[in-house]
Amino acid sequence: MVPHLVTALTGPINELEQRILESTPVIERWFRLEWMEHTPPFYTSVDIRNAGFKLAPVDTNLFPGGWNNLTNEMLPLAVQAAMAAIEKICPEAKNLLLVPENHTRNTFYLMNVAQLQRIFYSAGLNVRVGSLNPDIKEPTTIDLPNGDRVVLEPIIREGRRLGLKHFDPCTILLNNDLSAGVPGILEDLHEQYLLPPLHAGWHVRRKSNHFRAYEEVAKRFGKLVGIDPWLINPMFAQCGQVNFAEGAGLECLQTNVDALLAKIRRKYKEYGIQERPFVVVKADNGTYGMGVMMVRDAAELANLNRRTKNKMNVIKDGQQVSDVIIQEGVMTHERIHDAVAEPVVYMMDRYVVGGFYRVHAERGVDENLNAPGASFVPLAFEKSALQPQPGSPPGASVPNRFYMYGVVARLAMLAAAYELEATDPEAERYD
């Protein structure tokens, strides 16, 4: 059963959907050619916001958790994509070591680990879970709320290989975003495949680099299908050397917020949009929805209270925020059971494999939904996510809307491929 959406079905979003549906063969060929030139990230999830007049990615995760939110109907797609991904990287792969985050008490997260284990087992691999947590000194079985169980084992380093006792993997899959930095045990593994690469971790990755790459992709895509790239692209600016605790660097923030709000107002005027624009200030690295605030007027930044400063100062693993991205706020007009919702699309290799709605009953259309209290409603595709229905009017078909989500998510994934190429420390540079 596909969740019923209450979505703004008039205005530019319908025109955008129509253009995308009419251009399906052109779009799919374009993606095919892009993937001949660029390597997709191993797996990706993309948060998308549908404002009714605009559809844009607002976050792209290269170490996605939440695989447990995919329905059983989606698993064959994920298994097929996992097979394709592994075949490209290490066709003779037999053993895969899955390295999760350290938080062993978060059973919801560990359900995601169990789901990943199931996907790769079904793809034909022996999968075991190796923990970087120093508290895991022997195989530890954790029972999960859904009846699954996961066994965490201590990782062993022997020479330049990583593994477990009596388990030597060809491939190591990180489901740990390395926010706190790279543990030495993961470095110099030149005889094993490490996925994603270390430079995809939040210790070096920056959202501003990603959205710079996305801006380029959106411009090329806009030209391809004949649309204004702004309809799929959130504008952004960046500030470095901000210290929220001490109130330093806030002038840079105010200036950039002011300038970006003025740009958004001009676009709203061009499209006759009556909504009040806002921007999202967030840590330029990191995930889990931490270090995020909404700003509607630059003057608000002059009087931040202590609670807001504390919230913005530190993100996951106690990392202090010094660089921020200021992103055009994209409201969401999607609702499930009267609660505000946003789609999250999951991909493996270059394929859309499913997704879910992040739903938050206590948040508004212009607020961050990735916060405590959020729940998840599966996108239970009646058909494959990539099967639009040609000929039906825009908005009339759920698969059509999902196809559009999948296109935008793949654009973000392509931008991530550009980003990883540009930041690869081992890539040869030709000036």
Side-chain angles (χ1 to χ4, degrees), residues 414-427:
L414 180 59
Y418 285 18
E419 172 199 356
L420 289 177
E421 285 169 16
T423 55
D424 184 351
E426 295 180 14

Side-chain angles (χ1 to χ4, degrees), residues 297-317:
D297 188 322
E300 295 170 27
L301 295 166
N303 302 301
L304 294 179
N305 59 36
R306 183 175 294 279
R307 187 180 170 202
T308 302
K309 285 180 179 177
N310 289 343
K311 181 184 84 167
M312 292 300 297
N313 192 47
V314 175
I315 54 171
K316 187 183 169 220
D317 291 335

Side-chain angles (χ1 to χ4, degrees), residues 87-143:
E87 206 171 290
K88 278 199 315 200
I89 294 153
C90 183
E92 70 280 6
K94 185 170 74 170
N95 296 335
L96 181 137
L97 178 64
L98 177 56
V99 181
E101 297 279 357
N102 283 354
H103 35 243
T104 53
R105 293 197 184 122
N106 185 339
T107 52
F108 188 78
Y109 170 74
L110 291 175
M111 283 159 61
N112 147 77
V113 172
Q115 182 83 303
L116 276 172
Q117 201 169 3
R118 185 178 297 115
I119 289 167
F120 285 97
Y121 176 83
S122 300
L125 293 163
N126 300 315
V127 189
R128 282 163 68 176
V129 183
S131 178
L132 295 168
N133 188 331
D135 296 337
I136 301 293
K137 295 182 169 61
E138 58 185 7
T140 305
T141 302
I142 299 174
D143 292 316

Side-chain angles (χ1 to χ4, degrees), residues 24 27 35-36 48 59 62 73 104 120 144 151 158 161 186-187 225 232 247 275 277 308 332 335 383 405 409 413 421:
T24 298
I27 290 168
W35 296 130
M36 288 171 71
I48 293 174
D59 213 0
L62 300 182
E73 292 84 357
T104 53
F120 285 97
L144 304 176
V151 180
E158 288 185 358
R161 293 189 75 82
L186 293 178
E187 293 180 326
V225 300
I232 55 168
E275 310 282 355
T308 302
T332 178
R335 289 179 177 270
K383 299 179 181 175
Y405 293 159
M413 178 169 59
E421 285 169 16

Side-chain angles (χ1 to χ4, degrees), residues 163-343:
L164 306 173
K165 193 175 179 182
H166 308 309
F167 187 75
D168 185 27
C170 152
T171 305
I172 296 149
L173 178 61
L174 292 177
N175 197 241
N176 180 316
D177 63 24
L178 306 175
S179 291
V182 179
I185 199 169
L186 293 178
E187 293 180 326
D188 299 319
L189 297 174
H190 295 311
E191 298 174 13
Q192 289 170 305
Y193 295 94
L194 185 64
L195 306 167
L198 292 177
H199 70 282
W202 282 124
H203 61 298
V204 290
R205 189 176 173 229
R206 293 293 176 267
K207 293 173 186 173
S208 49
N209 285 339
H210 174 73
F211 282 100
R212 204 167 286 118
Y214 183 80
E215 191 170 49
E216 181 192 334
V217 169
K219 281 178 184 169
R220 291 180 54 218
F221 183 80
K223 195 172 177 184
L224 180 78
V225 300
I227 60 163
D228 179 353
W230 177 75
L231 294 173
I232 55 168
N233 180 35
M235 296 185 287
F236 77 96
Q238 179 198 16
C239 269
Q241 305 306 310
V242 176
N243 187 315
F244 285 98
E246 296 173 9
L250 295 184
E251 306 81 12
C252 164
L253 202 51
Q254 283 180 289
T255 304
N256 278 283
V257 165
D258 216 23
L260 189 55
L261 281 169
K263 277 187 186 175
I264 302 168
R265 280 189 208 101
R266 283 196 291 275
K267 275 294 181 185
Y268 277 21
K269 189 175 179 185
E270 180 185 337
Y271 283 95
I273 295 159
Q274 302 301 316
E275 310 282 355
R276 187 183 179 195
F278 67 101
V279 297
V280 183
V281 177
K282 49 189 174 183
D284 204 8
N285 62 326
T287 183
Y288 285 45
M290 300 174 80
V292 179
M293 69 176 171
M294 313 301 175
V295 181
R296 290 162 190 80
D297 188 322
E300 295 170 27
L301 295 166
N303 302 301
L304 294 179
N305 59 36
R306 183 175 294 279
R307 187 180 170 202
T308 302
K309 285 180 179 177
N310 289 343
K311 181 184 84 167
M312 292 300 297
N313 192 47
V314 175
I315 54 171
K316 187 183 169 220
D317 291 335
Q319 300 299 302
Q320 188 162 346
V321 174
S322 60
D323 296 343
V324 296
I325 181 172
I326 304 138
Q327 193 177 60
E328 174 188 352
V330 182
M331 61 191 70
T332 178
H333 274 311
E334 301 204 5
R335 289 179 177 270
I336 292 175
H337 310 308
D338 291 329
V340 175
E342 65 186 9

